[in-house]
Each structure stands twice: as structure tokens, then as C-alpha cells.
């Protein structure tokens, strides 16, 4: 068979391959979360679904809690005792921080609140940061939201247990961008696991990030936070580098436990295929 004939035969095959790739990519990343917004570092909207719908955000709230604590410039090495006031009497969520026994630095409270989403840790931060206690802290959270132009956001507590903590995917991109300017928040929320010793005379407890992608070598997670309430569904917000592109991803109101993580992996695969599509397109043009 001549090379000319072979080249002629290869063009339809490449064209068909390119058409299949284009069709698959045009279908989008297959996001399943009820609310989603994906934006890259250049401001390109890669995907959106109900981005202005106001919804409960559960423990995504803790990113705002961390920013308010750091902004208050209180000593992060001060040790704080978990008290009865920090017990969750709204949802009765569990915690390994024992009442009147656990004593942690403010920095370690941030780690347990952000990594493992411990609600007692977040409550203690809200209770002890300002002289006015939790009410003053919640007021500062809302003031911070307004300063970030998060106009459709309302915050009700430091932990996110109150369904009155509400926002939109649009506003949460602003939250991600703001939180990424705090090196400590980036460090904590991108770490897969850490050992902390909250109880004197006892060994350390291992705290794992509720976002398993922080322990996945295929991922470069720069900042993330998960959340869950019945009213909010499963939630994940994340800043990550995928295919040399910084991406801000908001997934809210997902019904399956692993759906936000699945959505993130589907996004990564979709962006990887976009790179392959570019290569395929160039190959087809040069045949």
C-alpha cells in the first residue's frame, strides 16, 4: 500500500476521532451536584449550575471562621479548654475533644476545625476570639462577608451547624479567593492528616482531612473544605491545580456521600481530555 494511500485512509479516522472527542468534551464534565460553579484562574467559567441559588453551606462556614480568627490577631499559641459551652446541642454531633479535658492551642483548634471539621473546635474559636463572645464573632463573620462583596451570604454560627449559614456558589468563589490569601489556611486545608495531642497524659490523636483528595498523589489541592447537613446536602469547595490550570470549584447540594469527590474527579478527567483534544486537533491538521 502506498504512503499516499495510507495518508488518505488516515485522515477520515483522525477526523472521526476528533469528532468523538469534541462531542464528549462538549457534553461537559458530568457534574452531579445540584449547585456547582467552576472557574479557572483567568476567570473563564468552565461549568455552572444554579450559581446564584442561596443555600445552606454547612461546614464551608469554617473557612470564614478561620479568616475572622486570624484577622483578629489573637495569639495562635494561646491554649484554650473545650467547655460545656462548646457542646453541639443543635445536632448533637460527635467530637473527640472531651469537655473540660481537651486543651489546645488556637492554631490546633484551627487545624481540627478545618481538617476534620470538628464542631467543638469551631465553637471554641467563636467563643474565645472576642470579648463579646460568640455573638460578637458572628457579627464579625457577617461584616467580613460584606467586605468581600458576598452580598447573598448570611452567617449564623462559627461551626456551620446552623442551617442559617447560607450563601451562593458565586459568593463562595469569593470566599475561596479570600481564604487563599492566608498561608495558614492554605497549609491546613491542603494537608492530608496531622497528629494533635489535646488531652494531657494521653497520646496524640490523628486528624484526617475530610477531603480525601488531599491524600491523593494525582491531585494538587491548594485549599479545600467539605461540609454536610441534611438541609445543605454534601458540599465541597476547592482550589486546585489541574493540567497546569488553577481551578476554583464549588459543589453544593450533592445527594450522595461521595458525589462531590466524584464531581471533582470527573472535572479533572474532563480537563485532562481537553488537553488531549488539543493534541488530537493539531495532529489532524498536520496529516
Amino acid at each position: 500500500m502506498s504512503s499516499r494511500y495510507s495518508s488518505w485512509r488516515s485522515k477520515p479516522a483522525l477526523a472521526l476521532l476528533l469528532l468523538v472527542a469534541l462531542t464528549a468534551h462538549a457534553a461537559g464534565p458530568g457534574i452531579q451536584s445540584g449547585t456547582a460553579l467552576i472557574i479557572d484562574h483567568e476567570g473563564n467559567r468552565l461549568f455552572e449550575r444554579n450559581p446564584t441559588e442561596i443555600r445552606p453551606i454547612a461546614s464551608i462556614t469554617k473557612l470564614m471562621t478561620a479568616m475572622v480568627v486570624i484577622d483578629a490577631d489573637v495569639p495562635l499559641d494561646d491554649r484554650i479548654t473545650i467547655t460545656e459551652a462548646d457542646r453541639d446541642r443543635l445536632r448533637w454531633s460527635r467530637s473527640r475533644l472531651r469537655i473540660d479535658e481537651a486543651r489546645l492551642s488556637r492554631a490546633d483548634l484551627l487545624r481540627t476545625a478545618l481538617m476534620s471539621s470538628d464542631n467543638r473546635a469551631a465553637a471554641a474559636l467563636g467563643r474565645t476570639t472576642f470579648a463579646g463572645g460568640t455573638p460578637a464573632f458572628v457579627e464579625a463573620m457577617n461584616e467580613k462577608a460584606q467586605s468581600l462583596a458576598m452580598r447573598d451570604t448570611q452567617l449564623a454560627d462559627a461551626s456551620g451547624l446552623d442551617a442559617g449559614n447560607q450563601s451562593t456558589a458565586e459568593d463562595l468563589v469569593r470566599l475561596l479567593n479570600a481564604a487563599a490569601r492566608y498561608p495558614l489556611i492554605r497549609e491546613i486545608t491542603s494537608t492530608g492528616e496531622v497528629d494533635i495531642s489535646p488531652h494531657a497524659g494521653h497520646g496524640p490523636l490523628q486528624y484526617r482531612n475530610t477531603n480525601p483528595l488531599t491524600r491523593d498523589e494525582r491531585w494538587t489541592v491548594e485549599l479545600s473544605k467539605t461540609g454536610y447537613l441534611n438541609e445543605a446536602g454534601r458540599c465541597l469547595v476547592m482550589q486546585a491545580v489541574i493540567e497546569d490550570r488553577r481551578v476554583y470549584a464549588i459543589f453544593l447540594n450533592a445527594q450522595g456521600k461521595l458525589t462531590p469527590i466524584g464531581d471533582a474527579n470527573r472535572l479533572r478527567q474532563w480537563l485532562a481530555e481537553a488537553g488531549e483534544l488539543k493534541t488530537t486537533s493539531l495532529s489532524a491538521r498536520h496529516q
Side-chain angles (χ1 to χ4, degrees):
M1 184 181 294
S2 71
S3 61
R4 181 178 179 182
Y5 182 70
S6 176
S7 175
W8 178 83
R9 286 290 300 273
S10 69
K11 287 182 179 179
L14 281 167
L16 179 59
L17 178 63
L18 180 58
L19 178 60
V20 170
L22 281 167
T23 302
H25 190 67
I31 302 303
Q32 297 178 16
S33 294
T35 296
L37 180 59
I38 302 163
I39 299 177
D40 71 9
H41 65 283
E42 295 180 346
N44 300 308
R45 292 192 174 223
L46 308 180
F47 182 87
E48 63 179 31
R49 176 180 293 144
N50 304 320
T52 60
E53 180 179 77
I54 299 174
R55 294 202 49 80
I57 58 171
S59 285
I60 306 304
T61 302
K62 291 182 175 78
L63 286 176
M64 181 65 79
T65 297
M67 287 194 292
V68 171
V69 169
I70 296 171
D71 286 350
D73 202 26
V74 288
L76 295 183
D77 57 357
D78 275 2
R79 295 186 70 79
I80 295 168
T81 300
I82 299 297
T83 71
E84 187 63 36
D86 303 320
R87 189 189 298 276
D88 168 23
R89 295 184 178 278
L90 180 63
R91 311 269 176 179
W92 297 100
S93 56
R94 299 170 62 184
S95 171
R96 291 188 292 167
L97 300 178
R98 298 199 291 267
I99 303 295
D100 296 327
E101 294 183 40
R103 185 171 171 80
L104 303 85
S105 68
R106 211 175 248 111
D108 279 346
L109 285 173
L110 283 170
R111 288 187 177 89
T112 55
L114 290 172
M115 282 186 63
S116 67
S117 215
D118 189 283
N119 294 311
R120 288 182 189 174
L125 290 168
R127 174 175 57 84
T128 62
T129 298
F130 299 116
T134 301
F137 191 86
V138 173
E139 182 179 352
M141 292 172 73
N142 282 296
E143 288 175 357
K144 179 73 171 179
Q146 291 306 303
S147 74
L148 296 174
M150 297 172 64
R151 297 183 179 87
D152 293 316
T153 296
Q154 184 67 36
L155 301 164
D157 69 8
S159 64
L161 288 166
D162 191 322
N165 292 287
Q166 298 189 344
S167 189
T168 66
E170 295 269 6
D171 277 4
L172 292 181
V173 169
R174 297 183 178 94
L175 178 68
L176 267 182
N177 274 304
R181 294 195 285 270
Y182 295 75
L184 182 59
I185 296 177
R186 292 200 311 271
E187 176 219 319
I188 292 172
T189 64
S190 62
T191 299
E193 57 189 34
V194 67
D195 288 341
I196 294 175
S197 300
H199 305 110
H202 296 270
L205 300 177
Q206 184 183 75
Y207 285 89
R208 306 192 85 194
N209 200 311
T210 53
N211 178 5
L213 300 181
T214 59
R215 297 183 295 278
D216 188 330
E217 63 183 13
R218 298 171 299 176
W219 277 88
T220 303
V221 176
E222 297 182 324
L223 188 153
S224 76
K225 186 70 192 78
T226 65
Y228 172 72
L229 287 177
N230 285 335
E231 298 93 329
R234 303 284 175 176
C235 305
L236 169 66
V237 300
M238 185 166 61
Q239 175 182 308
V241 176
I242 308 173
E243 298 295 316
D244 298 321
R245 179 190 297 190
R246 179 166 287 113
V247 174
Y248 309 92
I250 312 295
F251 303 116
L252 307 176
N253 191 26
Q255 298 311 304
K257 183 176 181 179
L258 297 178
T259 298
I261 303 302
D263 281 345
N265 281 317
R266 282 183 282 272
L267 169 64
R268 187 177 65 84
Q269 181 64 31
W270 184 69
L271 290 175
E273 289 170 353
E276 293 171 7
L277 175 61
K278 186 182 295 184
T279 302
T280 302
S281 176
L282 288 172
S283 298
R285 266 186 273 165
H286 288 86
Q287 289 296 322

